[in-house]
Amino acid sequence: MKITTTLLALCIITASTITIAQPKPEDQIKFRQSGMMFMRWNMGIIKSQVIKNPQSYNKESVIKSANTIAAIANSGIESLFNTESATGKGWKDTLVKPEYFEQREEVEKYIKSFTEQANKLVTTANTGNPGLIKKQFAELLDACKACHKKFRSKKK
Amino acid sequence: MKITTTLLALCIITASTITIAQPKPEDQIKFRQSGMMFMRWNMGIIKSQVIKNPQSYNKESVIKSANTIAAIANSGIESLFNTESATGKGWKDTLVKPEYFEQREEVEKYIKSFTEQANKLVTTANTGNPGLIKKQFAELLDACKACHKKFRSKKK
């Protein structure tokens, strides 16, 4: 019985090790910086169409961008922040603050809020109402900024 | 009448200029490299779960990654390849070949095939059948490789 239990424990450890196998720290940083940057491009597209140049508003284009932001938000990008990747360089030096790795429960709340706002933006984009999209875009941007303010250093 | 036509033409030019306003070349390269890199991370997740470590297969995780790849494929990433961005540096020097900018119709076919395979991967991921996903993953990878072979230089 003891052996069986030990074997079972070993299997669980092995299985969970495989599941959480992660890219090496510099790749984690590169991947997460890539996800952030691609969201930024899509945020820019939406901003351009509902704030800066409303006459260029195109429903399909905004839907595509909202879908992309939401897919990245839901991709599990937060798994790319292992403790080993707290410092280091991906495409560039990481800007994440040490607090991020010390306040995981707090971080979770910010990620949850950001993901919810991103999902809402998809729903709103599909209404085709630029006024509603503009409002929801602001909500999402607030969620981005709140997390950046708390957990991202100023750009060097 | 002539003045009206000229004004109309001006308006159309202005509107289309606004619509096709693009990031500067180095940002286009950075954004497209980011999209490619984030797809690569997600391709790695699926590969790990249906090929390398099938015991780690997790339906929800594969769906998330397939959704992300498809969203990026459908995001209009191909608009980030303006002629002015044919050479230059984003996160790193662009690897795109000059042929890409000379054979737009040919490029379209590759992009269409890639996007179709990415969309099919979402459908397949939702079946929860690892065998089918593995097969569709190979189809998508072939579409990636075909385009890279034709339009991407070897890594430096």
Side-chain angles (χ1 to χ4, degrees), chain A residues 18-19 23 30-35 37-38 40-42 53 55-56 64 67-68 71-72 74-77 79-80 91-92, chain B residues 18-19 23 30-35 37-38 40-42 53 55-56 64 67-68 71-72 74-77 79-80 91-92:
Chain A
I18 290 165
T19 309
K30 201 176 268 189
F31 288 139
R32 73 198 191 206
Q33 287 174 342
S34 295
M37 187 57 80
F38 206 68
R40 188 169 145 184
W41 174 55
N42 285 280
N53 303 305
Q55 67 274 41
S56 73
K64 281 178 185 180
N67 280 343
T68 306
I72 295 174
N74 287 288
S75 68
I77 189 170
S79 72
L80 291 166
W91 293 119
K92 58 179 183 175
Chain B
I18 290 164
T19 309
K30 201 175 266 187
F31 287 140
R32 73 198 190 206
Q33 286 174 342
S34 295
M37 187 57 80
F38 206 68
R40 187 170 146 184
W41 175 54
N42 283 281
N53 302 306
Q55 68 275 40
S56 72
K64 282 179 185 179
N67 280 343
T68 305
I72 296 174
N74 287 288
S75 68
I77 190 170
S79 72
L80 291 167
W91 293 118
K92 58 179 183 175

Side-chain angles (χ1 to χ4, degrees), chain B residues 67-109:
Chain B
N67 280 343
T68 305
I69 295 164
I72 296 174
N74 287 288
S75 68
I77 190 170
E78 64 277 16
S79 72
L80 291 167
F81 289 80
N82 274 11
T83 314
E84 297 73 37
S85 71
T87 56
K89 195 174 174 166
W91 293 118
K92 58 179 183 175
D93 287 336
T94 183
L95 294 175
V96 68
K97 288 184 187 173
E99 293 91 302
Y100 186 100
F101 303 92
E102 296 153 4
Q103 302 171 19
R104 293 283 187 178
E105 278 183 36
E106 190 70 5
V107 168
E108 278 298 319
K109 289 181 207 161

Side-chain angles (χ1 to χ4, degrees), chain B residues 57-68:
Chain B
Y57 171 70
N58 177 290
K59 186 181 172 183
E60 290 312 312
S61 166
V62 169
I63 289 173
K64 282 179 185 179
S65 286
N67 280 343
T68 305

